[in-house]
Structures are given as C-alpha cells and as structure tokens.
Amino acid sequence: MPEGYTGATAWVQIQSILNSINHMLIFLVAAFFFVLARSLDFKDTAMHMFMTGTGFHVLIAQAMMSHSKVNPLTRWLSHRNKARFHAILQIVGGTMVLLGSLGKFSNKDIHFNTWHGRVGGAAAFGCAASIVGGFVNYFQPKFALKVMPPSELRFRHNLFGLLTFSLGMGAIYLGYYSKFFTKFVDNDFIPGMMAITALVYVLTIIAPVSSLLTKLKYRSKRKAEQAQ
C-alpha cells in the first residue's frame, strides 16, 4: 500500500468514481425523458413526465451534489459559487416540477387516486417549500435569524431538501407503474429504468446525508452546551 494511503483516501476515491457514474446515469435519464416526450410531441402526460422528471431526476439531483468535494462539475468552484450553482439548479428544477405538476393538480379526482399522484403531490408542495427555504437559508434575513441561528437554518434546509428529493424520486419510481409508461415504453425496458432511478437516488444522497450527519453532530453538541 502506498505511503500516506489511508481508508479515508480510499473512500474519497470510491466516492469520486461513484459520483462520475451517477453523472452518466443522470445524463442517460435526461436523454430518455427528452426522447420519449418529443416522440409524443410534449403533449399532456408526456409534458408532465418531462418537466417533473427532468426537474427532480436531473436538475435537483445535480443541485443535491453541488457541494460534494468529489463532484467534477463543481469541485473547482469556491464554496460561495457552489451555493449559487446549487441555488440556480434548485430554482430551475423546482420551477419545472411545479409547472409540470399544475396540469395534474387541476384533474385532482384522477391524479390523487394513485400512489404516484399522492407522493408526487407531496413532492411538489415540498419542492415549493424547499425553494422558499432555500432563499431564507441563502440570504438569511434578520427576521429568520431572530427565530433560529444560521446553523439551524442550514440543518433544516438540508433535512427538508433530502425529504423532498426522496418524495420526488419516489414519485418517479412509482410513475414507472403508470398506464402512461406501460403504454408507451417497452415493458422489458421499465425494470432497467427503475433500477437506474433507485441507483441515482442512492448515489445522489451520499454527500447530502454526510453533510446532514455532520450538522446533526454539531447541533447536538450546541444543544448540550446550552443545557449546561
């Protein structure tokens, strides 16, 4: 084993490889969503699939990884610019999710009678809340700081962002069971898409979960000190 090579070094290299694989998978999913929606002229459910799928599975997934030290797209950026990159992707992706969901919300009698619709609805509302929370976390206005310190704002933004992303990816996964996919996509191909979505989800949350655990330790330590 080379001098200076440690378990921590190996884990960083593994994360770097996994991150690169994730980027490739996300690119493939983006291409698939675009080609499928274009083949159906971006009409009705095809547009819904493209907007919400691209919003969560592509843009928000990239936003979630933007602060990772092994992300080849952002590791050369300063922390401040990583935050800006994260914000831009989150706003664009979140806006796509919300716009793509509006048409389905208008037909609530049909949309909310499936697990895909229910989880997707929760994800859309969570997305709107996360965008608002992101602005508060980024600009940290005085009224927010009167309620909680910056560290608590960052912790809650991290936590609720993970929850919203989980709901969004869950809705996409459930969407593969929908009549739309079983009608317009080869049924032998769908399990592969489900596996890719599950893998992208797991690989994407590595950095955010690690960050959340670090914040949780700091949060627990701060509360213990305040209790003394």
Side-chain angles (χ1 to χ4, degrees):
M1 183 176 292
E3 184 178 351
Y5 191 88
T6 65
T9 303
W11 173 234
V12 169
Q13 292 181 346
I14 291 171
Q15 285 188 83
S16 180
I17 293 171
L18 293 176
N19 193 277
S20 296
I21 292 172
N22 199 25
H23 283 296
M24 289 187 285
L25 293 175
I26 289 172
F27 173 77
L28 289 174
V29 169
F32 170 75
F33 285 160
F34 176 79
V35 170
L36 178 58
R38 186 181 181 186
S39 70
L40 298 170
D41 297 322
F42 294 97
K43 291 181 180 178
D44 302 324
T45 302
M47 178 59 82
H48 166 73
M49 177 276 302
F50 174 73
M51 295 289 282
T52 56
T54 302
F56 266 121
H57 211 309
V58 181
L59 297 177
I60 293 179
Q62 291 288 355
M64 297 284 285
M65 296 188 294
S66 60
H67 285 287
S68 173
K69 295 179 180 179
V70 297
N71 187 341
L73 298 180
T74 59
R75 62 187 174 192
W76 54 276
L77 295 175
S78 66
H79 179 76
R80 190 65 174 174
N81 284 332
K82 284 180 180 179
R84 289 169 177 158
F85 183 75
H86 169 85
I88 291 170
L89 290 178
Q90 191 73 38
I91 292 169
V92 176
T95 301
M96 288 185 71
V97 168
L98 294 174
L99 291 176
S101 300
L102 286 177
K104 293 300 180 180
F105 288 161
S106 64
N107 198 358
K108 60 184 179 181
D109 291 337
I110 296 177
H111 187 59
F112 290 105
N113 65 357
T114 66
W115 277 109
H116 166 69
R118 294 171 190 140
V119 176
F125 284 115
C127 197
S130 292
I131 291 175
V132 174
F135 276 112
V136 173
N137 180 63
Y138 185 84
F139 293 106
Q140 297 186 358
K142 292 181 179 179
F143 74 86
L145 296 179
K146 290 180 180 179
V147 179
M148 62 187 73
S151 59
E152 185 66 17
L153 283 175
R154 289 190 290 270
F155 172 78
R156 295 193 181 194
H157 177 62
N158 197 160
L159 175 61
F160 291 124
L162 269 169
L163 291 175
T164 299
F165 181 67
S166 298
L167 287 170
M169 293 298 277
I172 291 171
Y173 190 89
L174 291 169
Y176 294 132
Y177 290 101
S178 68
K179 293 180 181 179
F180 172 81
F181 266 91
T182 55
K183 179 179 179 180
F184 294 109
V185 179
D186 187 335
N187 288 0
D188 292 332
F189 187 70
I190 292 176
M193 289 302 302
M194 296 171 76
I196 289 175
T197 292
L199 187 56
V200 166
Y201 171 72
V202 172
L203 295 179
T204 298
I205 66 171
I206 290 175
V209 167
S210 177
S211 176
L212 181 67
L213 292 175
T214 300
K215 291 182 177 73
L216 184 60
K217 289 180 182 178
Y218 175 79
R219 186 173 183 253
S220 300
K221 181 180 178 181
R222 182 171 56 81
K223 287 188 174 183
E225 291 174 349
Q226 291 175 345
Q228 291 178 354

Short mmCIF file of all heavy atoms in Angstrom, two decimals, residues 82-135:
data_model
loop_
_atom_site.label_atom_id
_atom_site.label_comp_id
_atom_site.label_asym_id
_atom_site.label_seq_id
_atom_site.Cartn_x
_atom_site.Cartn_y
_atom_site.Cartn_z
N LYS A 82 -20.43 27.49 -5.31
CA LYS A 82 -21.14 26.21 -5.25
C LYS A 82 -22.57 26.45 -4.76
O LYS A 82 -23.52 25.84 -5.26
CB LYS A 82 -20.44 25.25 -4.31
CG LYS A 82 -19.18 24.61 -4.87
CD LYS A 82 -18.56 23.65 -3.86
CE LYS A 82 -17.30 23.02 -4.42
NZ LYS A 82 -16.68 22.09 -3.44
N ALA A 83 -22.70 27.34 -3.78
CA ALA A 83 -24.03 27.67 -3.26
C ALA A 83 -24.89 28.32 -4.34
O ALA A 83 -26.09 28.04 -4.45
CB ALA A 83 -23.90 28.59 -2.04
N ARG A 84 -24.27 29.19 -5.16
CA ARG A 84 -25.01 29.84 -6.24
C ARG A 84 -25.43 28.82 -7.30
O ARG A 84 -26.55 28.86 -7.81
CB ARG A 84 -24.15 30.93 -6.85
CG ARG A 84 -23.96 32.14 -5.95
CD ARG A 84 -22.90 33.06 -6.47
NE ARG A 84 -22.77 34.25 -5.63
CZ ARG A 84 -21.69 35.01 -5.58
NH1 ARG A 84 -20.64 34.73 -6.34
NH2 ARG A 84 -21.65 36.06 -4.79
N PHE A 85 -24.51 27.93 -7.63
CA PHE A 85 -24.79 26.87 -8.61
C PHE A 85 -25.94 25.99 -8.11
O PHE A 85 -26.86 25.66 -8.86
CB PHE A 85 -23.53 26.04 -8.82
CG PHE A 85 -23.66 24.96 -9.86
CD1 PHE A 85 -23.66 25.27 -11.21
CD2 PHE A 85 -23.76 23.62 -9.49
CE1 PHE A 85 -23.77 24.28 -12.18
CE2 PHE A 85 -23.87 22.62 -10.44
CZ PHE A 85 -23.87 22.95 -11.79
N HIS A 86 -25.89 25.64 -6.84
CA HIS A 86 -26.94 24.84 -6.20
C HIS A 86 -28.28 25.57 -6.28
O HIS A 86 -29.31 24.97 -6.63
CB HIS A 86 -26.57 24.58 -4.73
CG HIS A 86 -27.68 24.01 -3.92
ND1 HIS A 86 -27.96 22.65 -3.86
CD2 HIS A 86 -28.60 24.60 -3.11
CE1 HIS A 86 -28.99 22.44 -3.07
NE2 HIS A 86 -29.41 23.60 -2.59
N ALA A 87 -28.26 26.87 -5.98
CA ALA A 87 -29.50 27.65 -5.98
C ALA A 87 -30.12 27.74 -7.37
O ALA A 87 -31.33 27.59 -7.53
CB ALA A 87 -29.21 29.05 -5.44
N ILE A 88 -29.28 27.96 -8.38
CA ILE A 88 -29.79 28.08 -9.75
C ILE A 88 -30.44 26.78 -10.20
O ILE A 88 -31.56 26.77 -10.73
CB ILE A 88 -28.65 28.47 -10.72
CG1 ILE A 88 -28.20 29.91 -10.44
CG2 ILE A 88 -29.10 28.34 -12.18
CD1 ILE A 88 -26.92 30.30 -11.16
N LEU A 89 -29.76 25.66 -9.97
CA LEU A 89 -30.31 24.36 -10.36
C LEU A 89 -31.59 24.05 -9.59
O LEU A 89 -32.56 23.52 -10.15
CB LEU A 89 -29.29 23.25 -10.12
CG LEU A 89 -28.06 23.23 -11.04
CD1 LEU A 89 -27.14 22.09 -10.63
CD2 LEU A 89 -28.48 23.07 -12.49
N GLN A 90 -31.59 24.40 -8.31
CA GLN A 90 -32.76 24.13 -7.47
C GLN A 90 -33.96 24.96 -7.94
O GLN A 90 -35.09 24.44 -8.00
CB GLN A 90 -32.43 24.48 -6.02
CG GLN A 90 -33.46 24.02 -5.00
CD GLN A 90 -33.43 22.51 -4.80
OE1 GLN A 90 -32.36 21.92 -4.80
NE2 GLN A 90 -34.59 21.91 -4.64
N ILE A 91 -33.73 26.21 -8.25
CA ILE A 91 -34.83 27.09 -8.69
C ILE A 91 -35.37 26.64 -10.05
O ILE A 91 -36.59 26.51 -10.23
CB ILE A 91 -34.36 28.55 -8.76
CG1 ILE A 91 -34.09 29.08 -7.35
CG2 ILE A 91 -35.41 29.42 -9.45
CD1 ILE A 91 -33.38 30.43 -7.32
N VAL A 92 -34.48 26.38 -11.00
CA VAL A 92 -34.91 25.93 -12.33
C VAL A 92 -35.60 24.58 -12.25
O VAL A 92 -36.69 24.37 -12.80
CB VAL A 92 -33.73 25.88 -13.32
CG1 VAL A 92 -34.18 25.32 -14.67
CG2 VAL A 92 -33.12 27.26 -13.50
N GLY A 93 -34.97 23.63 -11.52
CA GLY A 93 -35.56 22.31 -11.38
C GLY A 93 -36.88 22.34 -10.64
O GLY A 93 -37.85 21.69 -11.04
N GLY A 94 -36.93 23.13 -9.57
CA GLY A 94 -38.16 23.25 -8.80
C GLY A 94 -39.29 23.88 -9.59
O GLY A 94 -40.44 23.46 -9.49
N THR A 95 -38.94 24.88 -10.39
CA THR A 95 -39.94 25.54 -11.24
C THR A 95 -40.50 24.56 -12.27
O THR A 95 -41.71 24.53 -12.53
CB THR A 95 -39.34 26.76 -11.94
OG1 THR A 95 -38.85 27.69 -10.95
CG2 THR A 95 -40.37 27.45 -12.82
N MET A 96 -39.63 23.73 -12.84
CA MET A 96 -40.08 22.72 -13.80
C MET A 96 -41.03 21.73 -13.13
O MET A 96 -42.05 21.34 -13.70
CB MET A 96 -38.88 21.98 -14.40
CG MET A 96 -38.07 22.80 -15.37
SD MET A 96 -36.74 21.84 -16.18
CE MET A 96 -37.71 20.79 -17.27
N VAL A 97 -40.69 21.32 -11.91
CA VAL A 97 -41.55 20.38 -11.18
C VAL A 97 -42.92 21.00 -10.94
O VAL A 97 -43.97 20.36 -11.17
CB VAL A 97 -40.91 19.98 -9.83
CG1 VAL A 97 -41.92 19.24 -8.94
CG2 VAL A 97 -39.69 19.11 -10.07
N LEU A 98 -42.94 22.24 -10.47
CA LEU A 98 -44.21 22.90 -10.15
C LEU A 98 -45.06 23.12 -11.40
O LEU A 98 -46.27 22.86 -11.39
CB LEU A 98 -43.95 24.22 -9.45
CG LEU A 98 -43.30 24.10 -8.07
CD1 LEU A 98 -42.95 25.48 -7.51
CD2 LEU A 98 -44.22 23.37 -7.10
N LEU A 99 -44.45 23.59 -12.48
CA LEU A 99 -45.19 23.79 -13.73
C LEU A 99 -45.69 22.47 -14.30
O LEU A 99 -46.81 22.38 -14.80
CB LEU A 99 -44.31 24.51 -14.76
CG LEU A 99 -43.96 25.96 -14.46
CD1 LEU A 99 -42.99 26.50 -15.51
CD2 LEU A 99 -45.21 26.82 -14.40
N GLY A 100 -44.85 21.44 -14.20
CA GLY A 100 -45.24 20.14 -14.71
C GLY A 100 -46.33 19.48 -13.90
O GLY A 100 -47.03 18.58 -14.38
N SER A 101 -46.49 19.92 -12.64
CA SER A 101 -47.49 19.33 -11.76
C SER A 101 -48.84 20.03 -11.85
O SER A 101 -49.87 19.45 -11.49
CB SER A 101 -47.01 19.40 -10.30
OG SER A 101 -45.81 18.68 -10.13
N LEU A 102 -48.84 21.28 -12.31
CA LEU A 102 -50.07 22.08 -12.30
C LEU A 102 -51.21 21.42 -13.08
O LEU A 102 -52.36 21.39 -12.63
CB LEU A 102 -49.80 23.47 -12.87
CG LEU A 102 -49.02 24.42 -11.95
CD1 LEU A 102 -48.74 25.74 -12.66
CD2 LEU A 102 -49.79 24.67 -10.66
N GLY A 103 -50.89 20.90 -14.25
CA GLY A 103 -51.93 20.28 -15.06
C GLY A 103 -52.56 19.09 -14.38
O GLY A 103 -53.77 18.84 -14.50
N LYS A 104 -51.75 18.33 -13.67
CA LYS A 104 -52.27 17.16 -12.97
C LYS A 104 -53.09 17.56 -11.74
O LYS A 104 -54.06 16.89 -11.39
CB LYS A 104 -51.13 16.24 -12.55
CG LYS A 104 -50.41 15.60 -13.73
CD LYS A 104 -51.35 14.75 -14.55
CE LYS A 104 -50.67 14.11 -15.73
NZ LYS A 104 -51.58 13.27 -16.54
N PHE A 105 -52.70 18.63 -11.09
CA PHE A 105 -53.46 19.10 -9.93
C PHE A 105 -54.87 19.53 -10.34
O PHE A 105 -55.82 19.37 -9.58
CB PHE A 105 -52.75 20.28 -9.26
CG PHE A 105 -51.50 19.89 -8.52
CD1 PHE A 105 -50.55 20.85 -8.21
CD2 PHE A 105 -51.28 18.58 -8.13
CE1 PHE A 105 -49.39 20.51 -7.52
CE2 PHE A 105 -50.13 18.22 -7.45
CZ PHE A 105 -49.18 19.19 -7.14
N SER A 106 -55.00 20.08 -11.54
CA SER A 106 -56.31 20.53 -12.00
C SER A 106 -57.27 19.36 -12.22
O SER A 106 -58.48 19.53 -12.21
CB SER A 106 -56.17 21.33 -13.30
OG SER A 106 -55.67 20.50 -14.34
N ASN A 107 -56.70 18.17 -12.38
CA ASN A 107 -57.53 16.97 -12.56
C ASN A 107 -57.37 16.09 -11.32
O ASN A 107 -57.05 14.91 -11.41
CB ASN A 107 -57.09 16.21 -13.81
CG ASN A 107 -58.15 15.24 -14.30
OD1 ASN A 107 -59.20 15.11 -13.69
ND2 ASN A 107 -57.86 14.54 -15.38
N LYS A 108 -57.61 16.67 -10.16
CA LYS A 108 -57.31 16.02 -8.88
C LYS A 108 -58.09 14.75 -8.64
O LYS A 108 -57.63 13.85 -7.93
CB LYS A 108 -57.52 17.00 -7.73
CG LYS A 108 -58.95 17.54 -7.63
CD LYS A 108 -59.06 18.59 -6.51
CE LYS A 108 -60.47 19.15 -6.43
NZ LYS A 108 -60.60 20.17 -5.38
N ASP A 109 -59.30 14.65 -9.21
CA ASP A 109 -60.10 13.45 -8.98
C ASP A 109 -59.42 12.20 -9.54
O ASP A 109 -59.61 11.10 -9.04
CB ASP A 109 -61.48 13.60 -9.62
CG ASP A 109 -62.33 14.65 -8.91
OD1 ASP A 109 -62.05 14.91 -7.72
OD2 ASP A 109 -63.25 15.22 -9.54
N ILE A 110 -58.65 12.40 -10.61
CA ILE A 110 -57.94 11.27 -11.22
C ILE A 110 -56.54 11.15 -10.65
O ILE A 110 -56.08 10.07 -10.29
CB ILE A 110 -57.88 11.44 -12.75
CG1 ILE A 110 -59.29 11.40 -13.34
CG2 ILE A 110 -57.01 10.36 -13.38
CD1 ILE A 110 -59.33 11.64 -14.83
N HIS A 111 -55.86 12.29 -10.52
CA HIS A 111 -54.44 12.26 -10.16
C HIS A 111 -54.19 11.73 -8.75
O HIS A 111 -53.23 11.00 -8.53
CB HIS A 111 -53.86 13.67 -10.30
CG HIS A 111 -52.37 13.71 -10.12
ND1 HIS A 111 -51.50 12.99 -10.91
CD2 HIS A 111 -51.59 14.36 -9.22
CE1 HIS A 111 -50.26 13.21 -10.53
NE2 HIS A 111 -50.29 14.04 -9.51
N PHE A 112 -55.02 12.07 -7.82
CA PHE A 112 -54.74 11.71 -6.43
C PHE A 112 -55.32 10.37 -5.99
O PHE A 112 -55.36 10.07 -4.81
CB PHE A 112 -55.21 12.84 -5.49
CG PHE A 112 -54.37 14.08 -5.61
CD1 PHE A 112 -54.85 15.20 -6.27
CD2 PHE A 112 -53.09 14.12 -5.09
CE1 PHE A 112 -54.07 16.35 -6.39
CE2 PHE A 112 -52.30 15.26 -5.20
CZ PHE A 112 -52.79 16.37 -5.86
N ASN A 113 -55.79 9.57 -6.94
CA ASN A 113 -56.28 8.26 -6.55
C ASN A 113 -55.22 7.17 -6.77
O ASN A 113 -55.51 5.98 -6.66
CB ASN A 113 -57.57 7.90 -7.32
CG ASN A 113 -57.33 7.74 -8.81
OD1 ASN A 113 -56.22 7.95 -9.30
ND2 ASN A 113 -58.37 7.37 -9.53
N THR A 114 -53.99 7.59 -7.07
CA THR A 114 -52.88 6.64 -7.20
C THR A 114 -51.77 7.05 -6.23
O THR A 114 -51.66 8.22 -5.84
CB THR A 114 -52.31 6.64 -8.62
OG1 THR A 114 -51.71 7.92 -8.89
CG2 THR A 114 -53.40 6.37 -9.65
N TRP A 115 -50.91 6.09 -5.89
CA TRP A 115 -49.78 6.40 -5.01
C TRP A 115 -48.80 7.34 -5.71
O TRP A 115 -48.18 8.20 -5.07
CB TRP A 115 -49.08 5.13 -4.56
CG TRP A 115 -49.76 4.48 -3.40
CD1 TRP A 115 -50.48 3.32 -3.39
CD2 TRP A 115 -49.80 4.99 -2.06
NE1 TRP A 115 -50.97 3.07 -2.13
CE2 TRP A 115 -50.56 4.09 -1.29
CE3 TRP A 115 -49.28 6.12 -1.43
CZ2 TRP A 115 -50.81 4.27 0.07
CZ3 TRP A 115 -49.52 6.32 -0.08
CH2 TRP A 115 -50.27 5.41 0.65
N HIS A 116 -48.66 7.19 -7.02
CA HIS A 116 -47.81 8.10 -7.77
C HIS A 116 -48.31 9.53 -7.64
O HIS A 116 -47.53 10.46 -7.40
CB HIS A 116 -47.79 7.69 -9.24
CG HIS A 116 -47.22 8.74 -10.15
ND1 HIS A 116 -45.89 9.10 -10.14
CD2 HIS A 116 -47.82 9.54 -11.09
CE1 HIS A 116 -45.69 10.06 -11.02
NE2 HIS A 116 -46.83 10.36 -11.61
N GLY A 117 -49.63 9.72 -7.77
CA GLY A 117 -50.22 11.05 -7.66
C GLY A 117 -50.08 11.63 -6.27
O GLY A 117 -49.76 12.81 -6.11
N ARG A 118 -50.32 10.81 -5.25
CA ARG A 118 -50.25 11.30 -3.87
C ARG A 118 -48.83 11.68 -3.48
O ARG A 118 -48.57 12.75 -2.93
CB ARG A 118 -50.77 10.22 -2.92
CG ARG A 118 -52.26 9.92 -3.08
CD ARG A 118 -52.65 8.70 -2.28
NE ARG A 118 -54.01 8.26 -2.63
CZ ARG A 118 -54.36 6.99 -2.75
NH1 ARG A 118 -53.47 6.03 -2.57
NH2 ARG A 118 -55.61 6.67 -3.05
N VAL A 119 -47.89 10.78 -3.79
CA VAL A 119 -46.48 11.07 -3.45
C VAL A 119 -45.97 12.23 -4.30
O VAL A 119 -45.25 13.10 -3.80
CB VAL A 119 -45.61 9.81 -3.66
CG1 VAL A 119 -44.13 10.14 -3.42
CG2 VAL A 119 -46.06 8.69 -2.73
N GLY A 120 -46.37 12.26 -5.58
CA GLY A 120 -45.96 13.37 -6.44
C GLY A 120 -46.50 14.70 -5.98
O GLY A 120 -45.81 15.72 -6.04
N GLY A 121 -47.75 14.71 -5.50
CA GLY A 121 -48.33 15.95 -4.97
C GLY A 121 -47.57 16.44 -3.76
O GLY A 121 -47.27 17.64 -3.64
N ALA A 122 -47.24 15.51 -2.85
CA ALA A 122 -46.46 15.88 -1.66
C ALA A 122 -45.08 16.41 -2.07
O ALA A 122 -44.57 17.37 -1.48
CB ALA A 122 -46.31 14.67 -0.74
N ALA A 123 -44.49 15.78 -3.09
CA ALA A 123 -43.17 16.22 -3.56
C ALA A 123 -43.23 17.63 -4.15
O ALA A 123 -42.32 18.44 -3.94
CB ALA A 123 -42.64 15.24 -4.60
N ALA A 124 -44.30 17.93 -4.89
CA ALA A 124 -44.44 19.26 -5.49
C ALA A 124 -44.59 20.33 -4.41
O ALA A 124 -43.95 21.39 -4.49
CB ALA A 124 -45.65 19.28 -6.43
N PHE A 125 -45.43 20.07 -3.41
CA PHE A 125 -45.57 21.02 -2.31
C PHE A 125 -44.26 21.17 -1.55
O PHE A 125 -43.87 22.28 -1.15
CB PHE A 125 -46.69 20.59 -1.37
CG PHE A 125 -48.07 20.83 -1.92
CD1 PHE A 125 -48.93 19.77 -2.20
CD2 PHE A 125 -48.53 22.12 -2.17
CE1 PHE A 125 -50.20 19.98 -2.71
CE2 PHE A 125 -49.80 22.35 -2.68
CZ PHE A 125 -50.64 21.28 -2.96
N GLY A 126 -43.58 20.05 -1.33
CA GLY A 126 -42.29 20.10 -0.66
C GLY A 126 -41.27 20.88 -1.46
O GLY A 126 -40.42 21.59 -0.90
N CYS A 127 -41.36 20.77 -2.79
CA CYS A 127 -40.44 21.49 -3.67
C CYS A 127 -40.63 23.00 -3.54
O CYS A 127 -39.67 23.76 -3.46
CB CYS A 127 -40.68 21.05 -5.10
SG CYS A 127 -39.36 21.45 -6.23
N ALA A 128 -41.91 23.41 -3.51
CA ALA A 128 -42.20 24.85 -3.34
C ALA A 128 -41.67 25.34 -2.00
O ALA A 128 -41.05 26.42 -1.92
CB ALA A 128 -43.70 25.08 -3.43
N ALA A 129 -41.88 24.55 -0.95
CA ALA A 129 -41.40 24.94 0.38
C ALA A 129 -39.88 24.97 0.43
O ALA A 129 -39.27 25.85 1.07
CB ALA A 129 -41.94 23.95 1.42
N SER A 130 -39.23 24.04 -0.27
CA SER A 130 -37.77 23.99 -0.28
C SER A 130 -37.16 25.19 -0.99
O SER A 130 -36.10 25.70 -0.61
CB SER A 130 -37.29 22.70 -0.94
OG SER A 130 -37.60 21.57 -0.16
N ILE A 131 -37.84 25.66 -2.05
CA ILE A 131 -37.35 26.84 -2.76
C ILE A 131 -37.41 28.06 -1.84
O ILE A 131 -36.45 28.83 -1.74
CB ILE A 131 -38.18 27.10 -4.03
CG1 ILE A 131 -37.90 26.00 -5.06
CG2 ILE A 131 -37.85 28.46 -4.63
CD1 ILE A 131 -38.76 26.09 -6.30
N VAL A 132 -38.54 28.21 -1.13
CA VAL A 132 -38.67 29.32 -0.18
C VAL A 132 -37.61 29.19 0.93
O VAL A 132 -36.93 30.15 1.28
CB VAL A 132 -40.08 29.35 0.44
CG1 VAL A 132 -40.17 30.42 1.53
CG2 VAL A 132 -41.13 29.61 -0.64
N GLY A 133 -37.48 27.96 1.45
CA GLY A 133 -36.48 27.72 2.49
C GLY A 133 -35.07 27.97 2.00
O GLY A 133 -34.21 28.43 2.77
N GLY A 134 -34.83 27.67 0.73
CA GLY A 134 -33.51 27.91 0.16
C GLY A 134 -33.17 29.39 0.12
O GLY A 134 -32.04 29.79 0.42
N PHE A 135 -34.15 30.21 -0.26
CA PHE A 135 -33.93 31.66 -0.26
C PHE A 135 -33.62 32.15 1.15
O PHE A 135 -32.73 32.98 1.35
CB PHE A 135 -35.16 32.37 -0.82
CG PHE A 135 -35.20 32.45 -2.31
CD1 PHE A 135 -36.15 31.75 -3.03
CD2 PHE A 135 -34.30 33.24 -3.01
CE1 PHE A 135 -36.19 31.81 -4.41
CE2 PHE A 135 -34.33 33.32 -4.39
CZ PHE A 135 -35.28 32.60 -5.09
#
